[in-house]
Amino acid sequence: MDTTRSIYKLPIHEHPLLPSTQFTFSTCDGCHVRGFMYGYYFCNEASCYSWNHKECAEAPLEINYHISHPEHPLLLTNHSPTRDDTPCDSCGIKLLSPYYTCATCKFKVDLICGIKPSPSAIEHPVSHAHPLVLFKKREEDEISCEVCKESIGGPFYSCLECNNIFFHVDCVYLSKEVNHPCHFNHPLKIITRESLIYDDAEKYCHLCFMQPKYMLYHCYICNFIVCLGCTKLPPPVVVDHTKTHKHPLRLLSSKVAFTCKLCGVEGCESGPYICIECSFLVHGCCVDLPQVININRHDHPISFSHPLGHGRAKCGVCRQRVRPYYGAYSCPICPNYVVHSRCAIDLTVWNGVKLEGIPDNNEDIAPFKVVGDNLIRHFLHENHNLLFLKDYVMVRDYYEWLRCEACIYPLGFGPIYACQECVCVIHEKCANLPMKKKLVFDPTPYKLEYGGSAYCKLCGIFSGGFKYRSQGYMTIYRSVDVHCGSISEPFVHDGHLHPLYFGKTENHHCDACKRVLKDNMLTCGACNFDLCLYCATLPEKIWHMSDEHPLTLYYGEKADGTNWCEICEMELDPSIWFFTCSDCGVTLHVQCVLGDFSRFKPSESITIMGDKCKAVLNNHSSRPFCRHCHERCKVSIIIKADGEQKNGYICSTSCLLSFFGITQ
């Protein structure tokens, strides 16, 4: 029976949990053991990413009798221990939530010691010839398990008759020879990894594809290997899941070349599940794929179908062809949008929430209310109405200090909304920025916020104004500059002929600024063109105090002749993007025009490491010296530190970080 939509409120977790027959490699939030999990409970809240073994998730709220504490009942709690180094009173390992505690006394045990207490002694162990006695965690000498040869960091069994014989509490039940349910033809014998001396001997577990560290179980007849983890917790031999396939699927432990019907990935692997009647083979990890999900690369939910049945289409994540004969995800609203199965469920793309059977309640929240003809009440300025202005004249004296409250760039291009009672102005396009947004950089949802300063790791710039802040439990980027947050795919830029897509790479250089890219970038699939996120968000036109005309971003060229920057009076590299004035013909470095603090309003107060600072215009007749590098500050907006210990002018982000002793 398919129970994937049954929802259980279990005491182990704060949110409801759903059962799943999907295979995953994760850490159980109950026992904190990392490994492959088959048939488990998961949390369906956005970006909670909680997985629990079935026996951990179904742990009782109360244990009336425990062998280590028979006097009082034990209650399950999700609260963190009062001290970080609180040990389990049964095994001695550091106590992690959830755990069992006694309401009468201070007795505490971790989840596993609560639901599966180890006996204090084993009279006839299968792993040793003599009786074994249980000991708590040993702090002194490092000891190794006799079975798996790995170090023991918790409770262990030891032989009182033999010297230096120790066993993990779960390895003690492993014998030298086992009959494994996934390989019932022959018994498996435990051997060291170094015993596999033949070149064609298998080196990886046939079930989880991990390479055993020291010990493994091996069949010499079939060249079959199973790690100790898959011996303790083997995958199911038969899977009956009608949404994956109409017939039961049986584990095929032999190594075969096949193409998975659900993800389309080819390979020569062991451990697929097969329906002989239909010649249907799938990876174990493709069983019970989520039917409806949201991903950060598309605005609508996408649905899984097998086979896809579309014509030639490219994946919306990796940009490679999606073959129509296998399973994939597609958008019911956008007929040409498809995504590979593996690309869609990658946790850098998907937030882990299965949407099947959940009503769509993602209503768009408008950033403003229309209160009259050309009048709005925006969330950033709720006290007064803002008037729409399509045609207006900028006075040169206002170029630098009158700026958009959202993006902080100077005004002068495109319609705006302005307050008639105070100085509050915002570009029309910035006023329409969505309150909730999916960002291609992170699967967690983001919300538009206003106020305060933040450092954006994507573009490397400090900024005020609008920011997109993560609403997830686990996130890579807590706060994203509104410029980076406005990037979506495909990204069309006048500086390049083809659309650009988000990617991650190392040791590529940006074609606009020539800097080496360490991580995030926009890349072209048609040619060898990369663009960093800072250059991707540069303004195409801008007013600047150095010229009475607007400056235009010039996208570089390989040309003869020499150009000089009007601000720093240094030579320009014509292959690097720069600003130019079409009326005067002057040229300026991008860095000289914008600097590192152009996303702060003049006179905006900033607190850095507890010291008060302020963004100020560098418009005096004499340029001040930077307190850190001791060079003249040449950019139009700089930072002035007003602290008792830290004071003076700062010209750049690198100087700011060094001056305050901040490491990136």
Side-chain angles (χ1 to χ4, degrees):
M1 183 178 69
D2 181 18
T3 60
T4 54
R5 297 313 306 169
S6 301
I7 299 176
Y8 299 87
K9 187 67 183 79
L10 299 171
I12 194 174
H13 191 64
E14 58 181 319
H15 306 131
L17 298 176
L18 282 74
S20 175
T21 54
Q22 196 174 2
F23 291 37
T24 187
F25 185 85
S26 186
T27 300
C28 174
D29 276 357
C31 63
H32 304 283
V33 173
R34 184 166 179 79
F36 272 90
M37 299 170 68
Y38 319 96
Y40 54 90
Y41 285 88
F42 72 98
C43 177
N44 208 36
E45 293 291 319
S47 304
C48 186
Y49 301 126
S50 177
W51 294 270
N52 297 269
H53 292 118
K54 187 175 185 295
E55 63 178 351
C56 294
E58 295 175 350
L61 181 61
E62 182 176 352
I63 297 176
N64 292 317
Y65 176 84
H66 193 277
I67 189 172
S68 300
H69 191 70
E71 298 89 353
H72 310 120
L74 302 178
L75 296 176
L76 184 66
T77 178
N78 284 309
H79 299 295
S80 298
T82 53
R83 288 175 46 192
D84 290 340
D85 58 347
T86 302
C88 168
D89 288 319
S90 178
C91 67
I93 295 179
K94 177 182 173 182
L95 203 62
L96 297 173
S97 177
Y99 59 91
Y100 284 95
T101 183
C102 176
T104 306
C105 54
K106 296 182 178 180
F107 184 83
K108 298 179 180 67
V109 292
D110 61 36
L111 187 76
I112 291 300
C113 290
I115 61 176
K116 294 171 59 178
S118 299
S120 58
I122 301 177
E123 190 68 26
H124 301 289
V126 297
S127 55
H128 192 61
H130 308 135
L132 299 175
V133 179
L134 180 67
F135 290 86
K136 284 187 178 182
K137 180 182 178 182
R138 186 159 136 174
E139 298 291 349
E140 51 269 20
D141 299 333
E142 185 174 322
I143 56 177
S144 299
C145 174
E146 189 71 14
V147 176
C148 70
K149 308 303 180 185
E150 296 189 28
S151 61
I152 299 176
F156 59 92
Y157 283 96
S158 183
C159 177
L160 300 181
E161 299 181 36
C162 306
N163 290 325
N164 298 322
I165 298 294
F166 310 102
F167 300 87
H168 284 115
V169 292
D170 52 353
C171 290
V172 74
Y173 299 104
L174 296 176
S175 60
K176 295 181 179 180
E177 186 174 286
V178 298
N179 293 311
H180 200 283
C182 298
H183 189 75
F184 50 82
N185 295 333
H186 314 110
L188 306 179
K189 295 184 178 180
I190 193 167
I191 61 171
T192 63
R193 193 179 73 175
E194 288 73 18
S195 301
L196 301 171
I197 59 175
Y198 301 106
D199 293 338
D200 58 350
E202 290 291 341
K203 301 295 191 298
Y204 294 87
C205 173
H206 277 61
L207 302 178
C208 69
F209 318 118
M210 305 293 287
Q211 187 173 31
K213 193 173 182 180
Y214 298 112
M215 307 298 292
L216 53 93
Y217 280 98
H218 183 239
C219 174
Y220 285 98
I221 300 173
C222 304
N223 194 18
F224 182 85
I225 284 178
V226 179
C227 68
L228 270 59
C230 290
T231 303
K232 300 171 188 175
L233 187 64
V237 177
V238 177
V239 171
D240 189 0
H241 189 261
T242 56
K243 290 183 180 178
T244 300
H245 189 63
K246 59 184 177 181
H247 302 135
L249 301 174
R250 177 170 289 275
L251 179 67
L252 182 63
S253 57
S254 301
K255 191 171 184 178
V256 293
F258 74 103
T259 301
C260 176
K261 292 290 186 180
L262 299 184
C263 71
V265 175
E266 300 175 359
C268 185
E269 301 175 9
S270 56
Y273 282 84
I274 183 172
C275 173
I276 299 177
E277 182 180 347
C278 303
S279 299
F280 183 89
L281 283 89
V282 295
H283 296 109
C285 60
C286 292
V287 172
D288 191 15
L289 286 175
Q291 298 298 300
V292 184
I293 61 174
N294 266 324
I295 62 172
N296 60 358
R297 305 299 183 90
H298 195 62
D299 291 333
H300 310 128
I302 56 176
S303 303
F304 179 76
S305 56
H306 166 256
L308 178 62
H310 285 259
R312 297 177 64 87
K314 287 187 176 180
C315 173
V317 174
C318 71
R319 311 304 306 157
Q320 300 299 312
R321 179 181 174 240
V322 179
R323 292 184 288 179
Y325 322 109
Y326 305 100
Y329 287 85
S330 60
C331 177
I333 299 173
C334 309
N336 294 322
Y337 190 83
V338 296
V339 182
H340 287 122
S341 302
R342 294 282 184 95
C343 293
I345 62 171
D346 188 304
L347 290 180
T348 63
V349 176
W350 173 44
N351 64 0
V353 177
K354 298 182 178 182
L355 299 178
E356 184 186 12
I358 298 177
D360 185 9
N361 56 0
N362 291 325
E363 296 182 5
D364 291 333
I365 302 173
F368 59 80
K369 293 181 180 179
V370 177
V371 294
D373 290 340
N374 294 326
L375 286 175
I376 64 169
R377 183 66 63 91
H378 201 281
F379 85 93
L380 84 89
H381 195 65
E382 295 179 335
N383 296 328
H384 305 137
N385 296 333
L386 301 180
L387 176 66
F388 178 71
L389 298 174
K390 186 174 183 180
D391 299 312
Y392 59 95
V393 178
M394 281 293 297
V395 180
R396 187 182 179 189
D397 292 343
Y398 296 166
Y399 285 175
E400 287 297 331
W401 70 266
L402 189 59
R403 293 173 172 245
C404 172
E405 293 286 335
C407 69
I408 316 298
Y409 279 154
L411 307 173
F413 307 101
I416 60 172
Y417 285 98
C419 180
Q420 295 179 295
E421 300 183 46
C422 62
V423 184
C424 178
V425 188
I426 183 172
H427 291 119
E428 181 198 21
K429 64 178 182 180
C430 294
N432 284 281
L433 288 170
M435 294 295 294
K436 294 193 297 183
K437 200 173 191 301
K438 299 177 189 176
L439 303 184
V440 297
F441 324 110
D442 194 353
T444 59
Y446 280 76
K447 182 181 178 182
L448 189 65
E449 293 185 358
Y450 175 67
S453 60
Y455 178 77
C456 179
K457 293 182 179 179
L458 291 164
C459 61
I461 293 293
F462 283 99
S463 67
F466 282 5
K467 287 163 283 293
Y468 279 103
R469 191 169 297 276
S470 172
Q471 304 300 297
Y473 298 94
M474 299 169 61
T475 185
I476 305 170
Y477 308 103
R478 178 59 57 187
S479 182
V480 174
D481 180 273
V482 70
H483 298 269
C484 295
S486 299
I487 292 175
S488 58
E489 292 182 322
F491 184 75
V492 178
H493 197 285
D494 288 343
H496 190 64
L497 180 64
H498 309 122
L500 304 175
Y501 295 88
F502 176 71
K504 292 191 174 187
T505 188
E506 291 183 2
N507 300 323
H508 280 227
H509 72 271
C510 171
D511 283 279
C513 64
K514 307 305 180 187
R515 290 181 297 180
V516 175
L517 303 177
K518 297 180 180 180
D519 195 1
N520 300 291
M521 66 169 186
L522 291 165
T523 183
C524 177
C527 60
N528 188 23
F529 181 87
D530 299 322
L531 192 63
C532 73
L533 301 183
Y534 174 75
C535 291
T537 56
L538 290 173
E540 296 179 4
K541 283 188 176 183
I542 194 170
W543 292 98
H544 192 265
M545 65 172 67
S546 65
D547 199 281
E548 61 181 340
H549 308 116
L551 302 177
T552 303
L553 184 62
Y554 194 70
Y555 302 121
E557 63 177 8
K558 294 181 180 180
D560 296 330
T562 302
N563 292 310
W564 302 86
C565 176
E566 190 75 9
I567 296 176
C568 69
E569 300 178 350
M570 299 291 288
E571 186 176 351
L572 279 163
D573 181 348
S575 67
I576 295 177
W577 291 6
F578 58 89
F579 283 105
T580 184
C581 174
S582 58
D583 295 287
C584 307
V586 299
T587 54
L588 306 98
H589 290 116
V590 167
Q591 182 64 19
C592 292
V593 171
L594 297 176
D596 289 343
F597 307 120
S598 62
R599 294 177 186 174
F600 285 125
K601 292 191 302 180
S603 301
E604 183 174 349
S605 297
I606 309 159
T607 301
I608 301 176
M609 301 294 287
D611 286 304
K612 294 182 178 180
C613 301
K614 184 182 289 186
V616 297
L617 283 173
N618 183 16
N619 59 355
H620 299 289
S621 56
S622 178
R623 296 174 181 172
F625 286 98
C626 175
R627 183 65 187 273
H628 179 72
C629 69
H630 308 295
E631 298 286 338
R632 292 271 186 189
C633 299
K634 60 188 178 183
V635 297
S636 58
I637 293 186
I638 55 179
I639 297 296
K640 184 181 180 183
D642 292 324
E644 294 183 3
Q645 302 296 327
K646 301 284 187 179
N647 54 71
Y649 293 97
I650 306 295
C651 69
S652 66
T653 297
S654 59
C655 287
L656 181 74
L657 297 177
S658 299
F659 184 64
F660 284 97
I662 303 172
T663 56
Q664 287 182 282

